[in-house]
Structure formats: C-alpha cells, structure tokens
Amino acid sequence: MTAPRQYEEAGLDDLDVEEALALAKEGGAQVPDGSGATGGSPAGPQPSPRGGNREPSPRDGSRTHGEHTADGTADGPSRAHTAEHGHHRATPWPEARALAGRAPRRPDAPVSVSLDAALGLVLAAPLAALTDLPSFDTSAMDGWAVAGPGPWAVRAEGVLAGHAEHERLTDGEAVRIATGARIPQDVTAVIRSEHGRTDEKERLHATREVVPGQDIRPRGQECRSGDPLLQRGTVVTPAVLGLAAAAGYDTVSALPRPRAEVLVLGDELLTEGLPHDGLIRDALGPMLPSWLRALGADVIAVRRLGDDAEALHKALRNSDADLVVTTGGTAAGPVDHVHPTLRRLGAELLVDGVKVRPGHPMLLARTKEKQHLVGLPGNPLAAVSGLLTLAEPLLRTLAGRAAPETYTLPLKETVHGHPYDTRLIPVVLREDRAVPLHYNGPAMLRGIAVADALAVVPPGGARPGQELEILDLPWATAGIGVCFT
C-alpha cells in the first residue's frame, strides 16, 4: 500500500504531512557526512507553535483559502491560478512563485551609490570605462626596464610605482623598475629580477632571451576609455567593485535594496529561556531577518505584536516597507488576525494558500501601491518554505535580479509525497546527488540547519534516481559574508 493511499484510507488527508509521514513510518536517507542529521523516521507528530496554524489539507472544509481572486474580488481565484480539492482552493506551487515574481508593478527608481555601499545591489545602468586600463604603459614585474640590446648600463635611480614619468632611456641603458611603475619612453622590454644579473661594473646581463615588449602591460590593454564593461542588471560583486574603481568610478547607479519589516505574531512566544507553561521559544524572530538579508532585503524593523488585531492593523497601516512579513495567524483560528486585517485594509489578495507542504497556508497580498505582505505560517520550516516560495521571487524582482537558472539532481533515496501538493524537503548535495534529510516536518529546523538546498518533490513522491528541481539556500552558493550585506 502506498503512503498516499494509506493516508486516504485511514482518513488522514486532513493531517499535516509531518503527522502523516510519522504514521507511514517513512524511511529516511542516511547522510554520509556525519552531519548529525541521520536517523530513523520522524519521531511523531510535532505540535504546531500555534494551534490555529495547523496546515489545512486539501479536504479540510473548515478553511477556504480562495476567498479573494488575484484582483481582489470575492468570487475566488481563477482556474488559471488555482486548483481545487473538495472545498479547498490553493495556488499550485510553481504558479505561486511566478505570481510573486510578477507582483511588484515596478522597482524603485535607481540611486547613486558609493562603491563601499554597492555590494549586492544590481546595476541600473551599463558601466563603461572612464579611462584606458591601464592608463599608461606599466611594468608587469619587478626587474629592469631596458632599451636596445644588452648588456646594459644600469642607472643608479630606480622607477617606483606612483611616481612621475622617468626620463627616457637610450639604447644600452637599464633602470630598476617596480611592478606597476610607469614605463619610461623608449624601453624595449622588462627583464624580471630572476632573469638578469649584474657584473662587477654594474652592467646588466640577461640570463635568457629578451623578447621585445615582454612583461610590459601596454596602455589600454584591458580596455579603452568608453568601452562597455558591464551590462545593466549585473549584480555588484567584490570583483565588480574592483573593476568599477579601476575604471574610474566613485559611485554607480544601482537599484536600491528592498526594505523589509518583520511582524512576529503570537502571545505564546518567548524571546529567551526555556519553554514553560505552554509558552515556546520564538524561532522566527531571530531567523527571518537573516534570511531576508540573504535574499537581498534591508530589514528595517522586527516588531513583536503578539495576538493583537489592533496592533497588527496599526503596524500595517503605518509601515513604509516594500515588503512586510508576518509570522503565523494566516489560518482561521480565533487569534488568526491576518486575513481579517487585510480585508479591513482593503488589501488585494494575490495568493491565498499554496499547494505545497510544508507552508500550505502562506499568502501574498498587495497592501499598498508599492507594498506587499507575505504571510508566513507559524511553523519554522513552513515559514522557510513560504520565504522561498513567495518572498524570494518578489524581492528578486524588486532588486532587479534575474531569475536563477533552474537545475535538477537525481535523488539518492525514496521520498514519499503528499497526494496532491508539492513537497519541499531539506537535502544535502553529495557527489551530484540530492540526499534527503530527516527532521523535515513543518515545526522542525534540525534538517534545514545542515542542508545545502531544498528539493522539490512532486505530488505522489519521488524514487531513487529521479531528477528533482533543487532550490539552493542563499548561503550555500554565495558564502555567508557575501549574502548578509
């Protein structure tokens, strides 16, 4: 009996995938690197940090995510954007990502940014050379600049980098020269220090053949003034900063970093100490700002609002961020205030539930002309799923970044799937294979903490060797120091 059939026959479709997987005793992948993420099947159902945030199933009639269409009307999403099982409507995962990428109507206007503040931004205009590179003939090595055939009489005064042009040489003369120094006129070649020797009369002899022009970087070798160097849309990396500086720039025109605000909801959350008396530690408050920075946002505030509908309404009404991220409160429980608050504000609901596990009750809304809200589920791994499904493409568009090339890798071991929805599971990448990690339930972070990526598992699951789309985690490809700028 397949796992999905087990769920249906046992009447388990309305459990979250973590509970279903625990009951099905899904076998897990062994991690070959000793990361500590190996082990048996999940230990059992994990309690949701918020009772009202249990991820509704495709047959859970208590929650209808399709209350608004993409244009804000109340008739339900169009067939092009949604899929329906029973009373539940949700946007398919690929379409939800595409909708999020198209949601911003236009990025902010370009700004002039100093080089020391431009790392990670996207160029808003092409970069052309403001000077020849190099701007004069320079020595590529430490050694001697020589004129004509040898041996050569060595001048007493050498040529150093950063000094004014040295007087011209005549045939038979040489002068000591440093790397990067300006080549005197009429120099034939540069002899490296290790390829020459001087005799007792201070005459220079080459120990190998001298080729005219050797170890001289001629003016304009890399580019001439006005040559195009980088296209609009190029991400500013450390190398781009170096090239811009060398080409004569003090500032560049770039798209500003999107500004994000995090609103942490829930009266049950502790900011320190151990869980007690029904209270649990807040994992999302510490985690989300760094995730958002890794995705290219400038996090301007993290506010803890508890389960206070008026506080949420006031925070959204007064926010001037490009993106507001809320945690929890996206379902229909007694203290789930996100949907009622969005209706009260007249927000345009673009995505109301996504066919993905974990993270099913995530949402995307346009709250103001140039502001969007991503509502994340309260479970930590479900929130990560929401970030990569909705926040990442939206922030990418706001920042002017191109979509990354999609790629696939073969799966090392069997992964059970949800009967109807896409699954996102943490994996490590080993020898060109995706190795599934345990502890991948909605409330768990133990798997994602050692993961390189998330694998996109289609409905029904995947078998060993099957090619799955891979979503890289931002720090797995770019490095912590580059991502968190």
Side-chain angles (χ1 to χ4, degrees):
M1 182 185 298
T2 64
R5 179 59 56 190
Q6 276 182 296
Y7 305 160
E8 292 176 352
E9 292 184 2
L12 299 176
D13 332 26
D14 57 343
L15 294 177
D16 67 27
V17 73
E18 185 172 296
E19 293 168 315
L21 289 177
L23 290 169
K25 301 189 188 314
E26 175 180 60
Q30 297 298 310
V31 182
D33 65 346
S35 66
T38 62
S41 62
Q46 296 295 311
S48 167
R50 308 200 61 189
N53 263 356
R54 179 180 64 77
E55 295 182 3
S57 79
R59 296 186 180 179
D60 187 349
S62 66
R63 174 80 179 94
T64 300
H65 282 292
E67 294 173 349
H68 300 299
T69 64
D71 63 358
T73 63
D75 294 329
S78 68
R79 292 179 181 266
H81 288 165
T82 63
E84 183 173 349
H85 296 286
H87 296 292
H88 181 82
R89 297 172 183 176
T91 305
W93 182 77
E95 295 181 30
R97 296 193 83 211
L99 278 167
R102 296 194 303 266
R105 288 171 175 159
R106 61 183 180 277
D108 284 337
V111 293
S112 180
V113 184
S114 62
L115 295 187
D116 61 0
L119 183 64
L121 301 184
V122 172
L123 293 181
L127 211 65
L130 300 179
T131 181
D132 296 343
L133 283 181
S135 54
F136 45 79
D137 295 347
T138 62
S139 177
M141 303 294 292
D142 293 333
W144 294 271
V146 300
W152 301 270
V154 181
R155 289 183 177 179
E157 184 179 350
V159 182
L160 300 177
H163 287 235
E165 184 176 5
H166 194 274
E167 61 184 82
R168 71 174 60 227
L169 298 185
T170 59
D171 284 354
E173 284 190 313
V175 64
R176 270 282 186 185
I177 195 166
T179 301
R182 188 169 185 162
I183 296 290
Q185 294 185 46
D186 297 332
V187 165
T188 304
V190 169
I191 299 174
R192 301 183 185 190
S193 296
E194 61 269 29
H195 297 162
R197 62 176 179 83
T198 55
D199 58 23
E200 65 279 0
K201 296 182 179 180
E202 289 298 313
R203 294 179 64 81
L204 173 65
H205 300 264
T207 58
R208 60 177 60 188
E209 179 185 4
V210 177
V211 178
Q214 71 181 26
D215 288 324
I216 295 175
R217 292 188 63 215
R219 177 175 181 166
Q221 181 185 52
E222 185 170 1
C223 63
R224 290 290 184 179
S225 180
D227 283 352
L229 299 178
L230 296 169
Q231 297 179 345
R232 181 182 181 273
T234 299
V235 177
V236 178
T237 64
V240 167
L241 292 176
L243 177 60
Y249 286 86
D250 300 316
T251 63
V252 293
S253 177
L255 294 175
R257 191 172 281 109
R259 301 163 74 248
E261 183 173 1
V262 178
L263 304 180
V264 181
L265 311 182
D267 288 341
E268 74 278 20
L269 301 178
L270 296 169
T271 59
E272 60 183 13
L274 296 176
H276 62 86
D277 301 325
L279 303 177
I280 61 171
R281 277 297 296 270
D282 171 30
L284 298 183
M287 180 175 74
L288 290 181
S290 295
W291 269 96
L292 291 166
R293 292 186 189 104
L295 295 174
D298 179 14
V299 179
I300 59 174
V302 178
R303 306 184 195 280
R304 301 179 184 276
L305 303 183
D307 288 318
D308 187 328
E310 285 304 317
L312 177 60
H313 179 263
K314 181 179 179 181
L316 291 179
R317 188 185 61 208
N318 294 336
S319 175
D320 63 354
D322 301 299
L323 171 64
V324 178
V325 176
T326 61
T327 69
T330 56
V335 292
D336 291 328
H337 300 305
V338 173
H339 279 90
T341 302
L342 291 177
R343 288 193 291 270
R344 183 178 173 188
L345 290 169
E348 182 182 359
L349 203 54
L350 305 177
V351 174
D352 192 10
V354 177
K355 292 173 57 59
V356 67
R357 303 299 173 112
H360 200 255
M362 66 180 75
L363 63 84
L364 171 65
R366 181 176 291 119
T367 48
K368 297 174 185 176
E369 174 65 22
K370 297 183 67 176
Q371 182 187 79
H372 292 81
L373 178 142
V374 169
L376 301 178
N379 278 316
L381 188 58
V384 170
S385 174
L387 282 174
L388 294 183
T389 300
L390 298 177
E392 186 276 330
L394 188 144
L395 289 171
R396 182 188 347 119
T397 299
L398 285 174
R401 294 173 179 262
E405 293 285 338
T406 59
Y407 75 98
T408 63
L409 284 177
L411 190 65
K412 184 174 177 62
E413 301 182 16
T414 297
V415 173
H416 293 306
H418 188 274
Y420 317 115
D421 297 353
T422 299
R423 277 189 74 197
L424 302 181
I425 62 164
V427 294
V428 289
L429 309 182
R430 298 289 183 268
E431 299 178 351
D432 295 327
R433 284 184 176 265
V435 183
L437 293 166
H438 286 176
Y439 309 107
N440 54 29
M444 297 180 177
L445 288 173
R446 191 171 170 184
I448 194 72
V450 296
D452 299 316
L454 293 177
V456 182
V457 181
R463 62 188 183 278
Q466 183 173 339
E467 296 277 337
L468 296 183
E469 181 181 351
I470 302 297
L471 302 178
D472 286 319
L473 301 182
W475 46 85
T477 53
I480 294 292
V482 174
C483 283
F484 295 95
T485 55

